[in-house]
Amino acid sequence: MENHRLQEALDSLKSTKVRMTPQRHAILEFLFNAKTHPTADDIYKALEGKFPNMSVATVYNNLRVFKEVGLVRELTYGDSSSRFDSNTSDHYHVICEDCGKIVDFHYPGLDEVETLAEHVTNFKVKEHRMEIYGACPECHKLKQH
Amino acid sequence: MENHRLQEALDSLKSTKVRMTPQRHAILEFLFNAKTHPTADDIYKALEGKFPNMSVATVYNNLRVFKEVGLVRELTYGDSSSRFDSNTSDHYHVICEDCGKIVDFHYPGLDEVETLAEHVTNFKVKEHRMEIYGACPECHKLKQH
DNA sequence: TATACTAATTGTAAAGATTATAAAGTAAGA
DNA sequence: TCTTACTTTATAATCTTTACAATTAGTATA
């Protein structure tokens, strides 16, 4: 089923003028099969076996392209580097402040927040993001010793 | 009234082992009077008149200290550098994707989200953050030409 | 299938933000 | 005042991301 989403992504790229290259295919494939939310460097390291000559620039370039087309979302947390998420459907992230684990979390109906924000600020609202911070079960258990 | 919040912050620092220095006082004062959400470099530049010898490291060090004590919140958006917010009471930010303007936005009752996240993920939830993205009135008007 | 046009990749350098380190300075309590 | 531990400073180092120019490679077209 992950392959299904990947296939959809590949198809949607065909309809643009974005060329398909082996590197792009591999980056997309990795992102769509990833259970985690990898950094650019994670992706680079994961693919250096298959593409020993691939440049980091290629990873960054393509992540930007995928972002522009809407296939990928960039997550910027407090830590040093961005993470990338192929799941662009509406969901939020619960983040462990101790070990960095990120868990997806579905919650409906924050459209109301957007609507209210529009009225109060006169902005033309496009989207929102939310993260929930805390300790994952494992880290929490450790802290209680 | 800003001075009142600043005074409270200074008092709360006295109860810790955090020493008061002229640099720390100036950084806190600047943050608590700021209408915007400045970057570390903004703060550095703003204070270099008063402290020609102050190091950037001092700004970063102290922002970290203030964060640890809970006086200051760090905001990491997509762009290169973090922003800092002295207002640690619950509020959200509405951000213009074109000009970068940030407007505070009050909204109650997302405690429910935290509660649900706890139940679903078994995390021990501590806090959450949310940002709303769009175009500010000025930028939106420009785009309609 | 060969050609040509244009976009993509590579390798490296550069930029920008943040942190580490060691020496010198200073706040705060005894 | 003295002492100690914390802070500041100055600089170097690190880390992430982007810029750039030369080379390579998709893809549309003939």
Side-chain angles (χ1 to χ4, degrees), chain A residues 91-103:
Chain A
H91 71 282
Y92 304 106
H93 294 117
V94 187
I95 302 166
C96 177
E97 289 177 315
D98 296 313
C99 71
K101 187 197 287 177
I102 302 175
V103 175

Side-chain angles (χ1 to χ4, degrees), chain A residues 4-76:
Chain A
H4 173 62
R5 286 180 50 232
L6 175 59
Q7 195 53 55
E8 270 184 357
L10 292 173
D11 289 346
S12 83
L13 277 179
K14 269 201 193 114
S15 66
T16 67
K17 55 191 57 180
V18 175
R19 292 182 183 168
M20 190 42 54
T21 68
Q23 293 89 335
R24 280 190 176 153
H25 192 286
I27 293 172
L28 268 186
E29 188 175 34
F30 180 80
L31 262 174
F32 276 82
N33 288 325
K35 302 295 175 204
T36 62
H37 302 80
T39 64
D41 197 57
D42 290 339
I43 299 172
Y44 177 63
K45 288 209 167 60
L47 298 181
E48 73 181 355
K50 208 184 281 182
F51 297 91
N53 295 321
M54 186 168 65
S55 167
V56 244
T58 299
V59 177
Y60 280 100
N61 286 341
N62 288 327
L63 287 172
R64 176 161 27 82
V65 169
F66 298 152
K67 252 171 53 188
E68 285 167 1
V69 184
L71 287 177
V72 162
R73 187 177 289 179
E74 182 174 2
L75 312 170
T76 56

